[in-house]
Amino acid sequence: MDPAVPDADAASPSSEVARRVLLASPRGYCAGVDRAVVAVEKALEHYGPPVYVRKEIVHNRHVVDTLAARGAVFVADTDDVPEGARVVFSAHGVSPAVRAAAAARSLRTIDATCPLVTKVHKEAVRFADDDFDILLIGHAGHEEVEGTSGEAPEHIQVVNSPDDVDAVEVRDPERVVWISQTTLSVDETMETVRRLRERFPALQDPPSDDICYATQNRQVAVKKMAPSCDVVVVVGSANSSNSVRLVEVALESGARAAHRIDTAAEIDPAWVADAATVGVTSGASVPEILVRDVLTRLAELGFGDVEEVRTATEDLMFSLPRELRADLKAAGAETRPAREGRRSLDVQGV
């Protein structure tokens, strides 16, 4: 048995095992979030405030508030940006209609869309060009889903969950393909695909996984530690799809309870009063400082022993958006801050 993960029975409050924290790894920032946040930081440094950002750059309240304090102005849409101003598109991506609206207002855009979201957009365009019906598995209303759907609205229909499969209608059952939002539960997505394939046996798969590596890695880490945990605490905001999924994964994988919080201040001592083992993880848009605050609070509650549960090592780093990188390079400025333990990958053209 992996020595980092105690036997599930040993986590019982009635055992003699000391109170402990199992800390999931990987957790927190993924490469796409890191890229988007750094893009706004570098834009503020280089151009000076205000720098407008369409929607939340990533779905984390702490990140948004911190950037706003530095001069970022978050807006609901391009119509809220002064004509000719500079605007950053969030990591979740935008539709062609949004890009056209920005161009009509002569906005100077910085595209911080996660390259893995861009990949899904390009899949949608290609399948639409081939006249497929595209079943986009995702949450209707989520910014990423809106952006992807906007690439080919006449070909795409959103499938929210396995329960929605029976309502799906297509023009030709022989020309159907599925794609997905990048931040979903892997298990639920595969169940949706299974049910879709029962209805449409010719259903085609995307050329590669659409659920991003970071989402999958964080879910795998939670699955490994959850059976040993009385309680799992997930750090992440309510509008963060991947954070909400981690709570679900923890419960489905054997945790006795699971709670999502934005900050350590939201921890209810009653959650851990009778616990022996508390699991801690964080969504892909959560800075590590928030996790450290949670560990400090748990230590105050008697959980000072922290053991890491590592299931993968992430070292991928995406290059900054092309528009910003070009301006920084012309000015002789750093085009990427050093990030220890990550390798750089130029993603332009992905």
Side-chain angles (χ1 to χ4, degrees):
M1 179 169 47
D2 188 336
V5 185
D7 181 73
D9 292 338
S12 170
S14 62
S15 74
E16 296 179 359
V17 175
R19 288 182 150 196
R20 71 188 70 198
V21 172
L22 296 183
L23 180 60
S25 184
R27 65 183 176 276
Y29 270 15
C30 63
V33 165
D34 187 31
R35 173 183 189 255
V37 173
V38 172
V40 178
E41 292 174 341
K42 300 295 279 187
L44 287 167
E45 292 172 8
H46 182 67
Y47 305 114
V51 169
Y52 292 87
V53 184
R54 184 184 181 275
K55 307 290 187 181
E56 293 186 352
I57 187 66
V58 297
H59 285 159
N60 184 266
R61 189 72 256 157
H62 174 86
V63 171
V64 170
D65 289 346
T66 299
L67 292 173
R70 297 180 186 177
V73 179
F74 293 89
V75 298
D77 217 329
T78 52
D79 289 345
D80 301 317
V81 181
E83 190 164 345
R86 183 170 280 104
V87 63
V88 181
F89 292 146
S90 80
H92 309 104
V94 298
S95 68
V98 171
R99 297 181 189 278
R105 295 180 59 78
S106 301
L107 302 183
R108 291 168 289 175
T109 61
I110 297 173
D111 187 1
T113 302
C114 174
L116 302 180
V117 174
T118 298
K119 177 184 79 72
V120 179
H121 280 225
K122 291 186 175 183
E123 290 172 358
V125 171
R126 179 164 67 84
F127 287 124
D129 287 345
D130 290 339
D131 202 30
F132 276 78
D133 276 6
I134 303 167
L135 308 181
L136 171 56
I137 302 174
H139 300 128
H142 189 280
E143 290 153 39
E144 181 184 332
V145 170
E146 290 179 347
T148 303
S149 297
E151 293 287 359
E154 69 283 1
H155 285 84
I156 294 175
Q157 57 183 301
V158 177
V159 183
N160 280 280
S161 71
D163 294 336
D164 290 342
V165 168
D166 289 344
V168 173
E169 299 292 340
V170 300
R171 295 170 300 160
D172 181 355
E174 299 299 314
R175 297 189 63 77
V176 185
V177 65
W178 71 273
I179 60 177
S180 81
Q181 183 180 334
T182 63
T183 55
L184 300 180
S185 161
V186 176
D187 293 339
E188 182 175 338
T189 300
M190 290 302 99
E191 175 61 15
T192 303
V193 172
R194 185 189 69 79
R195 294 195 193 182
L196 285 170
R197 188 158 278 122
E198 286 181 349
R199 288 201 59 202
F200 311 110
L203 179 71
Q204 293 193 26
D205 299 323
S208 60
D209 285 346
D210 284 346
I211 298 178
C212 85
Y213 76 95
T215 295
Q216 295 187 54
N217 285 348
R218 280 145 192 74
Q219 291 177 17
V220 168
V222 167
K223 286 180 180 181
K224 184 174 182 180
M225 73 179 187
S228 301
C229 296
D230 298 299
V231 183
V232 171
V233 175
V234 176
V235 188
S237 292
N239 61 342
S240 167
S241 176
N242 73 91
S243 297
V244 173
R245 300 290 83 72
L246 288 174
V247 174
E248 297 171 354
V249 169
L251 293 171
E252 291 165 358
S253 301
R256 295 159 182 79
H259 304 278
R260 183 204 55 78
I261 61 173
D262 265 295
T263 68
E266 297 174 26
I267 294 175
D268 184 343
W271 296 345
V272 300
D274 296 322
T277 302
V278 177
V280 174
T281 189
S282 58
S285 53
V286 176
E288 184 66 6
I289 188 173
L290 299 184
V291 176
R292 295 298 161 186
D293 288 345
V294 167
L295 296 179
T296 297
R297 178 59 180 145
L298 288 173
E300 294 171 352
L301 295 171
F303 294 84
D305 183 8
V306 179
E307 301 176 22
E308 185 176 70
V309 179
R310 177 173 291 279
T311 54
T313 298
E314 296 175 355
D315 63 356
L316 186 63
M317 184 176 72
F318 294 135
S319 60
L320 286 172
R322 180 183 64 253
E323 310 92 339
L324 176 60
R325 197 168 71 240
D327 286 351
L328 293 174
K329 185 176 181 179
E334 288 288 337
T335 59
R336 184 74 203 186
R339 297 282 181 172
E340 184 178 355
R342 291 188 177 180
R343 58 187 170 88
S344 180
L345 175 67
D346 188 336
V347 299
Q348 300 306 323
V350 171

